[in-house]
Amino acid sequence: MAAMERHTVPERLIRQITIEAINALELGGAEKIGDAAPLEAGVDLIAKAWALPGETRQANMDLIQTEKRRILSGAGKTALPGGELLQPYDGRMIAALIWGLFETAVRLEEAQDRAAMYELALLMAESLDLDSWIAENLPADTDE
């Protein structure tokens, strides 16, 4: 069995949440543009928790804002480079993402920030369908 990465890489985590925000915008369209709000807040909280440079936070927020403008105007290509939009996750990737969000939550000082990160972890587990992946990949019960 391949080993899972056990340490969160904040730059990778903030990028994943940015991509998921853009995916939510792409899938929801203009009428569901507010659905990306928890993900946008997540970008801010990840940057805050891990003391990432302001440029890193801003670059990711700019991508989300560019995608919002594109969705609202109905013009142009996605803000993401080719190949990053709507990529599937396997169970290990989902678990690593959720673990990273929990690890981020414990770094935050304010209870409301930790609660927002917890809610984001639950949202990601649901939207990436972690439960289904687990059910599909558990070994079948064997009667001996």
Side-chain angles (χ1 to χ4, degrees):
M1 179 183 280
M4 264 183 58
E5 186 173 313
R6 297 189 196 282
H7 302 287
T8 298
V9 178
E11 295 80 7
R12 185 179 309 148
L13 183 62
I14 199 169
R15 180 66 178 189
Q16 286 177 291
I17 295 302
T18 299
I19 290 168
E20 290 308 315
I22 292 170
N23 286 339
L25 291 166
E26 189 70 26
L27 291 170
E31 54 280 342
K32 296 208 177 218
I33 209 158
D35 289 356
L39 296 153
E40 280 184 85
V43 168
D44 275 332
L45 291 172
I46 292 165
K48 178 180 178 180
W50 295 97
L52 293 175
E55 301 82 35
T56 300
R57 180 209 161 273
Q58 192 59 50
N60 285 282
M61 292 302 284
D62 287 349
L63 278 173
I64 295 169
Q65 295 309 314
T66 298
E67 185 69 12
K68 279 185 176 180
R69 285 191 299 274
R70 188 197 70 75
I71 294 287
L72 290 172
S73 71
K77 296 193 310 187
T78 181
L80 289 175
E84 287 189 80
L85 188 65
L86 300 172
Q87 290 295 309
Y89 281 59
D90 65 19
R92 289 181 192 279
M93 293 167 69
I94 298 168
L97 174 61
I98 293 169
W99 180 258
L101 295 173
F102 285 139
E103 203 171 358
T104 299
V106 300
R107 296 177 65 90
L108 293 164
E109 292 182 18
E110 296 180 30
Q112 69 186 30
D113 290 346
R114 290 190 303 272
M117 192 57 54
Y118 171 76
E119 291 298 322
L120 180 56
L122 293 178
L123 173 68
M124 295 311 304
E126 182 180 335
S127 67
L128 295 173
D129 211 8
L130 179 61
D131 290 342
S132 291
W133 188 90
I134 291 170
E136 290 171 10
N137 290 283
L138 283 178
D141 287 337
T142 57
D143 294 330
E144 293 182 37

